[in-house]
Amino acid sequence: MKLSLSRRWAALAGVLAAALVATTLGAVAPERATAAGGTGCADAGDRYQTARPEQVGLDPVTLGHALNLLSVNGSETVQVYRHDCLVGTGIFDPLLGHIPGNNWSQTKTITALLAGRAVTLGRLSVDDPIGKYLPPGLGDAAHRAVTVRQLLTQTSGVRANWTRELNLAMPDRIREFLSLPFDHQPGTFYRYSQTGPSVVAYVVQRAVGEDLQDFAQRELFGPVGIARDHWFWLRDRDGNTDGWSNLFLPGDDFGRIGQLLADGGTFHGKRLISESYLRDLRTPSPNNPGYGYLTWLNAGPYWITPSAFAATRNPAPMISSAPADMYFSYGFFGQHIFVIPSLDMVVTRSSGTLNWPPSRVDVGDPLTAVAPGQTGRVEYEFFRLLMQSVVTPRQPAAPPYVAPKPGAVDPSLFVSVPDNLAVAQLGPNAPKGCTIFGCGGKLAAAGTIRSLMDVPRTGFAALTALPAGTAQLAQQVPDLLPRLLDGWQQTARITGEQLPAALPALLASLQQSVGG
């Protein structure tokens, strides 16, 4: 999706205005910790330790091109880490990095990590049937026999209907899963699902004996340094945490999860997730070699698109310009934690909407820009440049870009009279004992109330961090304009378009004015 040059300038003017106001007020940006010795960094404390790109075997110029390209193509934050050192950030990170945004399907990977923490604590086994953890009498024998592993690999076999799965007003997503008929034998067919990951979240909650979000803070987020007021996570109306989406976490915190993964499940010397679980998480599933445990993989002979579209097989690797051992989360609009074990590298990206920052250009099928598990030309070009920046060890040249096959919409995944009626808790496929008001004769409102109480605390924390972020961006104003121009030039190279001839001169004039 392209934005006109006038809209790009309008957005740029807003950024510059905020930055110049902060400069006038004399605000001072916070300092970052710096790596000792320059060869590696400790796990993040209050801040990430930093290093210059050349200290960790990266060429700063080429790395800058990569960061600028991704920044002007829909990114709110972009961060590159090597050897646990933060070595590069996106253009808008200082302003937007502390603002919690919907992680969309990146939430699924977080849910998988919480399951991993429960496994590591000995409270859960992925080969257990979920019935072991469900309340007695909830669900029939076939649904209770589905295993945790089958939910993690999206092979439960239950029917997918996206009209039902994207129903944010359903009273109880667990009962919703238990009402879905089986279209395939469990463990034999990959079908991307929203409801299955929420069952994982519920099973983890039952296995550990406490609310999932309390468990998440004490056992995962807290130990890696993510404060409770940094995030909120929505629930269904009955109070079950949405394991598939709706975790609101700021882009600045993605790197902490990335460091945990890159360091094999340890943080500050504490084992949080077992090596064996993480190995399984990034092992290709037989039914979709591009998918592990609610996590996408850049390996395998092929990968299957999410099932909002016809199940299209695309050649691997998913991002051909990146190493084959890379694995990653992938959320709607582009929420990512990329982990490359062979290079000891982590890349994170957050992107809240299609219309921010000043431009977004994706070449080919527009759906590939936003659909979870779909990749486009921008991701390919970013990783091509990033791999070119790696001096030690040198990386092979990227193969030519091949656009993924366009996803053809399968009407049966959206239109089914019994399933569409079930959205209103009506008809033969509706969850038994449920109405639009709730299930089991109860009014389903507890989850909505808890979500509404949780949101303001996080929003207040984001607002209080805004002045420091604006001040930090203001200090970067002399570099901001050329970075924007470089990002647009990189984009023009991809699209074959020409930037207006006056643009570089105008940006140079503005830069001189700001500098003077």
Side-chain angles (χ1 to χ4, degrees), residues 323-352:
D325 68 334
M326 185 174 77
Y327 63 100
F328 51 98
S329 59
Y330 210 126
F332 197 52
F333 295 134
Q335 324 298 324
H336 310 291
I337 300 170
F338 297 98
V339 182
I340 308 175
S342 60
L343 295 177
D344 195 18
M345 182 179 288
V346 171
V347 178
T348 69
R349 179 195 191 191
S350 65
S351 178

mmCIF file of all heavy atoms in Angstrom, residues 323-352:
data_model
loop_
_atom_site.group_PDB
_atom_site.id
_atom_site.type_symbol
_atom_site.label_atom_id
_atom_site.label_comp_id
_atom_site.label_asym_id
_atom_site.label_seq_id
_atom_site.Cartn_x
_atom_site.Cartn_y
_atom_site.Cartn_z
ATOM 1 N N PRO A 323 19.108 -16.601 6.668
ATOM 2 C CA PRO A 323 19.607 -17.961 6.891
ATOM 3 C C PRO A 323 18.482 -18.959 7.136
ATOM 4 O O PRO A 323 17.418 -18.614 7.679
ATOM 5 C CB PRO A 323 20.482 -17.808 8.143
ATOM 6 C CG PRO A 323 20.926 -16.379 8.120
ATOM 7 C CD PRO A 323 19.749 -15.627 7.570
ATOM 8 N N ALA A 324 18.723 -20.195 6.751
ATOM 9 C CA ALA A 324 17.697 -21.230 6.862
ATOM 10 C C ALA A 324 17.361 -21.558 8.307
ATOM 11 O O ALA A 324 16.262 -22.041 8.593
ATOM 12 C CB ALA A 324 18.150 -22.495 6.129
ATOM 13 N N ASP A 325 18.282 -21.309 9.246
ATOM 14 C CA ASP A 325 18.001 -21.673 10.638
ATOM 15 C C ASP A 325 17.209 -20.601 11.375
ATOM 16 O O ASP A 325 16.936 -20.746 12.567
ATOM 17 C CB ASP A 325 19.299 -21.996 11.382
ATOM 18 C CG ASP A 325 20.192 -20.772 11.593
ATOM 19 O OD1 ASP A 325 20.092 -19.816 10.792
ATOM 20 O OD2 ASP A 325 20.999 -20.782 12.539
ATOM 21 N N MET A 326 16.818 -19.540 10.704
ATOM 22 C CA MET A 326 16.052 -18.478 11.357
ATOM 23 C C MET A 326 14.648 -18.977 11.704
ATOM 24 O O MET A 326 14.011 -19.678 10.928
ATOM 25 C CB MET A 326 15.955 -17.252 10.442
ATOM 26 C CG MET A 326 15.261 -16.058 11.103
ATOM 27 S SD MET A 326 15.333 -14.574 10.063
ATOM 28 C CE MET A 326 14.057 -14.941 8.852
ATOM 29 N N TYR A 327 14.172 -18.623 12.890
ATOM 30 C CA TYR A 327 12.784 -18.878 13.270
ATOM 31 C C TYR A 327 12.215 -17.598 13.859
ATOM 32 O O TYR A 327 12.947 -16.739 14.355
ATOM 33 C CB TYR A 327 12.667 -20.066 14.227
ATOM 34 C CG TYR A 327 13.350 -19.928 15.563
ATOM 35 C CD1 TYR A 327 12.641 -19.596 16.714
ATOM 36 C CD2 TYR A 327 14.720 -20.159 15.689
ATOM 37 C CE1 TYR A 327 13.265 -19.490 17.943
ATOM 38 C CE2 TYR A 327 15.352 -20.061 16.917
ATOM 39 C CZ TYR A 327 14.618 -19.724 18.041
ATOM 40 O OH TYR A 327 15.243 -19.617 19.254
ATOM 41 N N PHE A 328 10.875 -17.448 13.811
ATOM 42 C CA PHE A 328 10.331 -16.140 14.139
ATOM 43 C C PHE A 328 8.840 -16.165 14.433
ATOM 44 O O PHE A 328 8.107 -17.039 13.994
ATOM 45 C CB PHE A 328 10.607 -15.151 12.996
ATOM 46 C CG PHE A 328 10.200 -15.622 11.621
ATOM 47 C CD1 PHE A 328 9.001 -15.222 11.054
ATOM 48 C CD2 PHE A 328 11.036 -16.443 10.883
ATOM 49 C CE1 PHE A 328 8.647 -15.639 9.781
ATOM 50 C CE2 PHE A 328 10.690 -16.863 9.612
ATOM 51 C CZ PHE A 328 9.481 -16.464 9.050
ATOM 52 N N SER A 329 8.415 -15.182 15.206
ATOM 53 C CA SER A 329 7.001 -14.869 15.371
ATOM 54 C C SER A 329 6.560 -14.019 14.189
ATOM 55 O O SER A 329 7.377 -13.355 13.553
ATOM 56 C CB SER A 329 6.781 -14.106 16.676
ATOM 57 O OG SER A 329 7.541 -12.899 16.667
ATOM 58 N N TYR A 330 5.259 -14.039 13.918
ATOM 59 C CA TYR A 330 4.780 -13.236 12.784
ATOM 60 C C TYR A 330 3.357 -12.797 13.079
ATOM 61 O O TYR A 330 2.432 -13.595 13.017
ATOM 62 C CB TYR A 330 4.838 -14.039 11.482
ATOM 63 C CG TYR A 330 5.060 -13.184 10.248
ATOM 64 C CD1 TYR A 330 6.087 -13.447 9.368
ATOM 65 C CD2 TYR A 330 4.235 -12.100 9.985
ATOM 66 C CE1 TYR A 330 6.303 -12.665 8.244
ATOM 67 C CE2 TYR A 330 4.442 -11.306 8.871
ATOM 68 C CZ TYR A 330 5.471 -11.597 7.999
ATOM 69 O OH TYR A 330 5.682 -10.812 6.901
ATOM 70 N N GLY A 331 3.184 -11.523 13.415
ATOM 71 C CA GLY A 331 1.875 -10.987 13.724
ATOM 72 C C GLY A 331 1.342 -10.091 12.623
ATOM 73 O O GLY A 331 2.108 -9.494 11.863
ATOM 74 N N PHE A 332 0.044 -10.003 12.546
ATOM 75 C CA PHE A 332 -0.659 -9.126 11.608
ATOM 76 C C PHE A 332 -0.024 -7.735 11.614
ATOM 77 O O PHE A 332 0.336 -7.207 12.670
ATOM 78 C CB PHE A 332 -2.111 -9.055 12.060
ATOM 79 C CG PHE A 332 -3.085 -8.545 11.035
ATOM 80 C CD1 PHE A 332 -3.147 -9.086 9.765
ATOM 81 C CD2 PHE A 332 -3.981 -7.544 11.377
ATOM 82 C CE1 PHE A 332 -4.070 -8.628 8.842
ATOM 83 C CE2 PHE A 332 -4.903 -7.085 10.456
ATOM 84 C CZ PHE A 332 -4.951 -7.618 9.186
ATOM 85 N N PHE A 333 0.159 -7.160 10.439
ATOM 86 C CA PHE A 333 0.799 -5.861 10.236
ATOM 87 C C PHE A 333 2.312 -5.891 10.414
ATOM 88 O O PHE A 333 2.971 -4.895 10.200
ATOM 89 C CB PHE A 333 0.218 -4.761 11.138
ATOM 90 C CG PHE A 333 -1.206 -4.415 10.867
ATOM 91 C CD1 PHE A 333 -2.109 -4.283 11.906
ATOM 92 C CD2 PHE A 333 -1.657 -4.198 9.580
ATOM 93 C CE1 PHE A 333 -3.425 -3.955 11.666
ATOM 94 C CE2 PHE A 333 -2.971 -3.867 9.332
ATOM 95 C CZ PHE A 333 -3.874 -3.748 10.383
ATOM 96 N N GLY A 334 2.878 -7.020 10.843
ATOM 97 C CA GLY A 334 4.333 -7.103 10.928
ATOM 98 C C GLY A 334 4.898 -6.944 12.317
ATOM 99 O O GLY A 334 5.701 -6.049 12.567
ATOM 100 N N GLN A 335 4.489 -7.799 13.249
ATOM 101 C CA GLN A 335 5.087 -7.865 14.588
ATOM 102 C C GLN A 335 6.020 -9.072 14.592
ATOM 103 O O GLN A 335 5.565 -10.200 14.392
ATOM 104 C CB GLN A 335 4.027 -8.029 15.677
ATOM 105 C CG GLN A 335 2.719 -7.301 15.429
ATOM 106 C CD GLN A 335 2.872 -5.806 15.334
ATOM 107 O OE1 GLN A 335 3.682 -5.223 16.040
ATOM 108 N NE2 GLN A 335 2.107 -5.177 14.456
ATOM 109 N N HIS A 336 7.307 -8.858 14.820
ATOM 110 C CA HIS A 336 8.258 -9.944 14.664
ATOM 111 C C HIS A 336 9.299 -9.979 15.769
ATOM 112 O O HIS A 336 9.751 -8.938 16.244
ATOM 113 C CB HIS A 336 9.069 -9.793 13.367
ATOM 114 C CG HIS A 336 8.266 -9.558 12.136
ATOM 115 N ND1 HIS A 336 7.464 -10.509 11.582
ATOM 116 C CD2 HIS A 336 8.166 -8.472 11.332
ATOM 117 C CE1 HIS A 336 6.888 -10.023 10.492
ATOM 118 N NE2 HIS A 336 7.298 -8.790 10.327
ATOM 119 N N ILE A 337 9.692 -11.200 16.112
ATOM 120 C CA ILE A 337 10.956 -11.461 16.796
ATOM 121 C C ILE A 337 11.650 -12.525 15.953
ATOM 122 O O ILE A 337 11.223 -13.683 15.927
ATOM 123 C CB ILE A 337 10.755 -11.952 18.237
ATOM 124 C CG1 ILE A 337 9.995 -10.917 19.061
ATOM 125 C CG2 ILE A 337 12.106 -12.257 18.887
ATOM 126 C CD1 ILE A 337 9.537 -11.425 20.421
ATOM 127 N N PHE A 338 12.672 -12.118 15.207
ATOM 128 C CA PHE A 338 13.447 -13.036 14.369
ATOM 129 C C PHE A 338 14.689 -13.486 15.151
ATOM 130 O O PHE A 338 15.408 -12.643 15.685
ATOM 131 C CB PHE A 338 13.927 -12.344 13.088
ATOM 132 C CG PHE A 338 12.833 -11.878 12.155
ATOM 133 C CD1 PHE A 338 12.410 -10.557 12.169
ATOM 134 C CD2 PHE A 338 12.254 -12.756 11.249
ATOM 135 C CE1 PHE A 338 11.427 -10.110 11.296
ATOM 136 C CE2 PHE A 338 11.271 -12.317 10.369
ATOM 137 C CZ PHE A 338 10.850 -10.995 10.387
ATOM 138 N N VAL A 339 14.946 -14.767 15.181
ATOM 139 C CA VAL A 339 16.122 -15.301 15.873
ATOM 140 C C VAL A 339 16.936 -16.105 14.860
ATOM 141 O O VAL A 339 16.402 -16.996 14.182
ATOM 142 C CB VAL A 339 15.724 -16.194 17.061
ATOM 143 C CG1 VAL A 339 16.966 -16.695 17.799
ATOM 144 C CG2 VAL A 339 14.808 -15.435 18.016
ATOM 145 N N ILE A 340 18.236 -15.766 14.749
ATOM 146 C CA ILE A 340 19.136 -16.452 13.817
ATOM 147 C C ILE A 340 20.258 -17.079 14.637
ATOM 148 O O ILE A 340 21.273 -16.430 14.925
ATOM 149 C CB ILE A 340 19.705 -15.482 12.772
ATOM 150 C CG1 ILE A 340 18.576 -14.702 12.088
ATOM 151 C CG2 ILE A 340 20.534 -16.236 11.735
ATOM 152 C CD1 ILE A 340 19.072 -13.623 11.130
ATOM 153 N N PRO A 341 20.112 -18.338 15.065
ATOM 154 C CA PRO A 341 21.133 -18.951 15.934
ATOM 155 C C PRO A 341 22.523 -18.971 15.325
ATOM 156 O O PRO A 341 23.519 -18.751 16.031
ATOM 157 C CB PRO A 341 20.587 -20.371 16.136
ATOM 158 C CG PRO A 341 19.103 -20.254 15.936
ATOM 159 C CD PRO A 341 18.949 -19.219 14.863
ATOM 160 N N SER A 342 22.654 -19.239 14.021
ATOM 161 C CA SER A 342 23.978 -19.371 13.409
ATOM 162 C C SER A 342 24.771 -18.080 13.445
ATOM 163 O O SER A 342 26.007 -18.103 13.350
ATOM 164 C CB SER A 342 23.840 -19.847 11.962
ATOM 165 O OG SER A 342 23.069 -18.929 11.190
ATOM 166 N N LEU A 343 24.095 -16.941 13.572
ATOM 167 C CA LEU A 343 24.777 -15.648 13.626
ATOM 168 C C LEU A 343 24.678 -14.994 14.999
ATOM 169 O O LEU A 343 25.147 -13.866 15.173
ATOM 170 C CB LEU A 343 24.197 -14.702 12.566
ATOM 171 C CG LEU A 343 24.411 -15.113 11.106
ATOM 172 C CD1 LEU A 343 23.727 -14.126 10.161
ATOM 173 C CD2 LEU A 343 25.893 -15.213 10.784
ATOM 174 N N ASP A 344 24.068 -15.686 15.967
ATOM 175 C CA ASP A 344 23.840 -15.107 17.288
ATOM 176 C C ASP A 344 23.209 -13.725 17.124
ATOM 177 O O ASP A 344 23.684 -12.737 17.691
ATOM 178 C CB ASP A 344 25.138 -15.025 18.082
ATOM 179 C CG ASP A 344 24.899 -14.765 19.560
ATOM 180 O OD1 ASP A 344 23.762 -14.981 20.019
ATOM 181 O OD2 ASP A 344 25.829 -14.324 20.253
ATOM 182 N N MET A 345 22.129 -13.673 16.362
ATOM 183 C CA MET A 345 21.505 -12.404 15.993
ATOM 184 C C MET A 345 20.002 -12.466 16.254
ATOM 185 O O MET A 345 19.365 -13.503 16.085
ATOM 186 C CB MET A 345 21.760 -12.104 14.510
ATOM 187 C CG MET A 345 21.201 -10.778 14.010
ATOM 188 S SD MET A 345 21.575 -10.481 12.252
ATOM 189 C CE MET A 345 23.340 -10.129 12.342
ATOM 190 N N VAL A 346 19.469 -11.333 16.682
ATOM 191 C CA VAL A 346 18.033 -11.157 16.884
ATOM 192 C C VAL A 346 17.614 -9.871 16.188
ATOM 193 O O VAL A 346 18.309 -8.852 16.272
ATOM 194 C CB VAL A 346 17.680 -11.085 18.387
ATOM 195 C CG1 VAL A 346 16.225 -10.691 18.595
ATOM 196 C CG2 VAL A 346 17.974 -12.414 19.079
ATOM 197 N N VAL A 347 16.495 -9.922 15.509
ATOM 198 C CA VAL A 347 15.908 -8.738 14.888
ATOM 199 C C VAL A 347 14.472 -8.630 15.366
ATOM 200 O O VAL A 347 13.740 -9.633 15.378
ATOM 201 C CB VAL A 347 15.930 -8.823 13.348
ATOM 202 C CG1 VAL A 347 15.278 -7.597 12.730
ATOM 203 C CG2 VAL A 347 17.354 -8.984 12.830
ATOM 204 N N THR A 348 14.055 -7.443 15.780
ATOM 205 C CA THR A 348 12.668 -7.246 16.188
ATOM 206 C C THR A 348 12.042 -6.123 15.374
ATOM 207 O O THR A 348 12.729 -5.215 14.906
ATOM 208 C CB THR A 348 12.553 -6.906 17.688
ATOM 209 O OG1 THR A 348 13.102 -5.602 17.931
ATOM 210 C CG2 THR A 348 13.266 -7.936 18.541
ATOM 211 N N ARG A 349 10.744 -6.204 15.221
ATOM 212 C CA ARG A 349 10.012 -5.167 14.485
ATOM 213 C C ARG A 349 8.614 -5.064 15.065
ATOM 214 O O ARG A 349 7.976 -6.067 15.354
ATOM 215 C CB ARG A 349 9.907 -5.536 13.010
ATOM 216 C CG ARG A 349 9.129 -4.517 12.172
ATOM 217 C CD ARG A 349 8.751 -5.105 10.821
ATOM 218 N NE ARG A 349 8.245 -4.116 9.897
ATOM 219 C CZ ARG A 349 7.653 -4.415 8.745
ATOM 220 N NH1 ARG A 349 7.494 -5.678 8.395
ATOM 221 N NH2 ARG A 349 7.218 -3.464 7.946
ATOM 222 N N SER A 350 8.134 -3.852 15.251
ATOM 223 C CA SER A 350 6.734 -3.626 15.595
ATOM 224 C C SER A 350 6.139 -2.670 14.579
ATOM 225 O O SER A 350 6.831 -1.804 14.033
ATOM 226 C CB SER A 350 6.588 -3.066 17.017
ATOM 227 O OG SER A 350 7.167 -1.771 17.121
ATOM 228 N N SER A 351 4.851 -2.836 14.328
ATOM 229 C CA SER A 351 4.195 -2.019 13.311
ATOM 230 C C SER A 351 2.715 -2.037 13.585
ATOM 231 O O SER A 351 2.046 -3.037 13.344
ATOM 232 C CB SER A 351 4.493 -2.566 11.915
ATOM 233 O OG SER A 351 3.831 -1.824 10.926
ATOM 234 N N GLY A 352 2.191 -0.932 14.091
ATOM 235 C CA GLY A 352 0.810 -0.924 14.545
ATOM 236 C C GLY A 352 -0.227 -0.808 13.463
ATOM 237 O O GLY A 352 -1.302 -1.368 13.563
#
